[in-house]
Amino acid sequence: KREKSRSEWTHPPMPVAHRTQSYDWAVGALIGVSGGLILIVAVALLIVNKRRKSSHQYPHLLQTNHSIAVKNALSMGPGGLKQTVSPLQSPLSSTQSTPSPLNSFASIMDERTRRLSPSELPMERGKINLTLSYDTLALSLQVGVLSCDDLCELSLSPSGQCLLDPYVKLQLLPDRDHRVKSRIVRSTNNPHFDEHFTMYGVSADQLAASTLHIQVCAFDRYSRDAIVGETSYRLSDAQLVLHSSVPLTLPLGPESLVASKGEVLLSLTYQPSLNNLTVVIVKARGLMGTPDPYAKLSLRDVDGKRLAKKRTHVKRAAKNPVYNESFVFELPQSQLMQAVIDIQMMQHNNGHSECIGRVILNGADSHVADVISRSDRQIAQWHCLE
C-alpha cells in the first residue's frame, strides 16, 4: 500500500475547485461564440429579405446599366422664375391657380409724379406780399414776409395733390448781404408766413443804393431745391425815410428776368494756321457782392459734350476782380462755328461754391462772328451775366 506508481508522483491530481472553474470558462466561451454566429446569421437574413422586397417594389432601381435623364417638372414663370406648388393651400385659392402678371414698366412710369420742364412753366409764377420799414436811429431795415398767392406748380401728381412746399429767401444787392430765409409751409400754393426780419447796419446811403432780391423756392427732400419765382425791388422807390411802413405786392417771374448780375470782359482770338482758339478772361465788374469770385470756362460741342474745361484763380474779397488769364484750345475752323463757349462766374464762400451768372457764346454770337471774320486779331467785348 505504501508503494505508489511514478506517474502519480510526477503528475499529482488537480484539485476539485480548479476543475470546476475550467469547466465554467469553457461553457461561457462556447455560448458567446454561438451567440455571435446567431447574430451574424440574423443580420444577413434581414439584409437579404430587405433587398428582395425592394426588388419587387422598385425593379427599375436595380437596373444600373442604363442612365436616365430626368426632366424638371417645374414650369418657368414670367422673367424665368420657377413656379413651385406650395404645400399649404389657402382656402380661398383654387386648385389650378395662375400667377399674377407683372406690371409693365410703362404703367409704373405713368403713376409717377411728373416734374414740369422750364418751358412748361408759365411766365407769371404768382405774387408775394411784403411790408417794409426803416429805423433811422438803429440803421435797420425791417422786412415782413406775409404771404404768397397763386404760386405755380413745379410737379404734377396723378391724384391732384399739391406737392409744393414753398419758402422765401431775401438778400440785399449788390453787396449780397443780410441773407435771411423763412420757414417752410407744406403742400400749398397760397402759403402764409407772417414772419418779420430785421437787417441791421444799413445806412441811409446804402438803403438808397440797395435792391431787395426775393426768391420763392420749393423744398425738395431728395434733390436740390427749385426756384418757383423771383423778383427784385429798389428800396429807393419806397421812400422809407418818409414813411413808417410800406406794404408791397410784387409779381414773381422766372429767374432770367432778374436784374443784371454783373459783366465780364472777354477777349477772343482765332489762329486758323494753328487751329488755336485763345480765350482771355480779362476782368469782371458789378458782381453781386461776391467775396471770393473766380471763373469757370468750358468748351462744348453742338451736342453739349464737354471738350475741355479750365478755371481762373480765386480773387479774395474783390467785387470787381481782374484776372488777365488766357486759355488756348485746339479747335479746327469747321468746328468753331458749332462750338459753345460756356463761362460761369462763381463765388467761393463758406467752403462751397455758388454760381453768380454765366455767359454762353456760339457761332451765332456777334463776338464769335467777328473773331472768325478777322482771324489772328484779338477782339475784346463786355458780356452780361445771365
Side-chain angles (χ1 to χ4, degrees), residues 116-123 125:
L116 298 177
S117 62
S119 60
E120 295 177 307
L121 297 176
M123 295 297 294
R125 306 292 178 86

Side-chain angles (χ1 to χ4, degrees), residues 1-13:
K1 294 181 181 179
R2 294 181 179 177
E3 293 181 358
K4 294 181 180 179
S5 62
R6 183 173 299 181
S7 59
E8 290 180 354
W9 288 103
T10 56
H11 299 285

Side-chain angles (χ1 to χ4, degrees), residues 180-193:
V180 295
K181 183 172 67 173
S182 72
R183 62 186 177 91
I184 300 173
V185 182
R186 303 288 183 179
S187 303
T188 179
N189 299 89
N190 301 282
H192 290 269
F193 300 99

Side-chain angles (χ1 to χ4, degrees), residues 134-275:
Y134 181 71
D135 189 345
T136 56
L137 298 179
L139 299 180
S140 61
L141 173 67
Q142 293 83 30
V143 182
V145 180
L146 303 182
S147 61
C148 293
D149 300 327
D150 302 327
L151 297 179
C152 68
E153 288 278 6
L154 301 181
S155 302
L156 296 180
S157 174
S159 62
Q161 180 185 3
C162 180
L163 303 176
L164 197 65
D165 299 331
Y167 64 94
V168 180
K169 295 169 62 177
L170 305 174
Q171 65 177 343
L172 291 182
L173 302 179
D175 295 335
R176 217 170 192 181
D177 294 333
H178 303 90
R179 298 183 182 184
V180 295
K181 183 172 67 173
S182 72
R183 62 186 177 91
I184 300 173
V185 182
R186 303 288 183 179
S187 303
T188 179
N189 299 89
N190 301 282
H192 290 269
F193 300 99
D194 295 327
E195 294 186 75
H196 297 268
F197 303 94
T198 301
M199 303 178 182
Y200 293 97
V202 181
S203 63
D205 295 337
Q206 185 179 0
L207 182 68
S210 297
T211 300
L212 181 64
H213 182 219
I214 306 160
Q215 279 186 337
V216 179
C217 304
F219 172 75
D220 194 329
R221 185 184 302 273
Y222 304 104
S223 62
R224 186 177 181 181
D225 294 354
I227 298 177
V228 180
E230 63 181 11
T231 185
S232 58
Y233 181 77
R234 297 178 60 180
L235 297 178
S236 59
D237 297 339
Q239 298 181 354
L240 296 175
V241 179
L242 304 178
H243 301 87
S244 58
S245 180
V246 177
L248 293 176
T249 298
L250 303 176
L252 300 172
E255 185 179 2
S256 59
L257 299 182
V258 182
S260 175
K261 300 179 179 180
E263 295 178 292
V264 59
L265 180 60
L266 302 177
S267 176
L268 302 179
T269 306
Y270 185 72
Q271 298 173 293
S273 58
L274 301 176
N275 290 333

